[in-house]
Every structure is written in structure tokens, then in C-alpha cells.
Amino acid sequence: MVATKDVSMEPTVRGLNEDLTEAAKEFEEQHKKDLEKVKEMELEEYKIRGDDEEWDQVLKKAGSTAVVSIKSDKKRKWEGENVVTSNAPGKQRKEMKHGKFKKNKDKHGKFGKKA
């Protein structure tokens, strides 16, 4: 047979509404602090370029396409843009290194092993 325990319950000091109101105030204060932190951050590099008129034109042309783009006035920065190599005597050519596709022999492979 299972032994029974005597449990004595007493009412709480505060009501449920009071507890919820206090929790809501704490949440609002924390939310304001977090919002101020976000406002202080430097987020200019993530800015979406183009005005409403440009986006309207692009979206009308795109239809149901998932990817759209707007031309930017910014020039892209390429790694080693001004690197000059000479493979043949008297001839020089620019070597363009694209940062995303540049291979590095010292890096580890897909599963942490040396590539």
C-alpha cells in the first residue's frame, strides 16, 4: 500500500494579477535596455540599398522570383586587386583573387582534417 502524506496548503501572499503585472514591468525594462543597445550598434553595413521606387520596379519585373537585386553605386573590394605577376618576359597581367573562392592549403577540410 502507498503511504499518504499530509499536505497543508496556504494561500499565496500576492495574487496572480499582481505577479503578472510585476513580471510585465520587468520585461518592459529589460526590453528598453536591449533596444538601446541595438540602437547604439553600428549597423550601416547591413543597410538595404535602394529607395521605394527602385524596389517597386524590381518587384514588378520579378513576379514570383525568389531572388531580386538592385544595382549599387558601391564598388566591390577584391583581395589583391592591384597584384601584378609576370609569367612571360615583357608581359604583365593582373591577378584577381576573389576572397570567397580563394583556396588556402593551411586550412582544415570539411571535417576538421588537414586538407
Side-chain angles (χ1 to χ4, degrees):
M1 204 164 178
V2 178
T4 60
K5 292 184 181 179
D6 290 333
V7 178
S8 63
M9 297 184 153
E10 297 178 18
T12 58
V13 178
R14 297 182 344 184
L16 183 60
N17 285 335
E18 293 171 355
D19 198 25
L20 285 173
T21 305
E22 183 181 327
K25 287 179 184 177
E26 289 175 8
F27 174 79
E28 287 293 325
E29 289 173 4
Q30 185 64 39
H31 181 67
K32 286 179 182 178
K33 289 178 185 176
D34 292 343
L35 192 60
E36 289 300 319
K37 286 180 184 178
V38 169
K39 286 181 180 179
E40 292 172 1
M41 296 172 84
E42 188 65 38
L43 301 174
E44 188 66 29
E45 67 182 283
Y46 304 107
K47 181 179 175 184
I48 297 174
R49 290 173 184 69
D51 58 8
D52 290 339
E53 188 175 305
E54 288 176 311
W55 278 102
D56 287 340
Q57 289 176 352
V58 169
L59 293 173
K60 284 179 185 176
K61 289 179 187 177
S64 63
T65 305
V67 179
V68 295
S69 64
I70 290 184
K71 294 188 180 189
S72 175
D73 297 338
K74 280 181 119 178
K75 295 283 184 181
R76 291 187 178 195
K77 295 179 185 177
W78 298 102
E79 283 187 33
E81 187 172 293
N82 295 325
V83 175
V84 177
T85 59
S86 58
N87 292 340
K91 289 187 177 182
Q92 292 184 348
R93 66 180 180 97
K94 279 188 176 179
E95 182 181 319
M96 297 294 284
K97 293 181 184 177
H98 303 289
K100 188 172 183 180
F101 300 107
K102 185 177 78 172
K103 296 212 174 193
N104 189 348
K105 301 275 182 190
D106 296 335
K107 291 198 174 185
H108 293 283
K110 186 175 184 179
F111 299 104
K113 296 179 181 176
K114 276 278 195 182

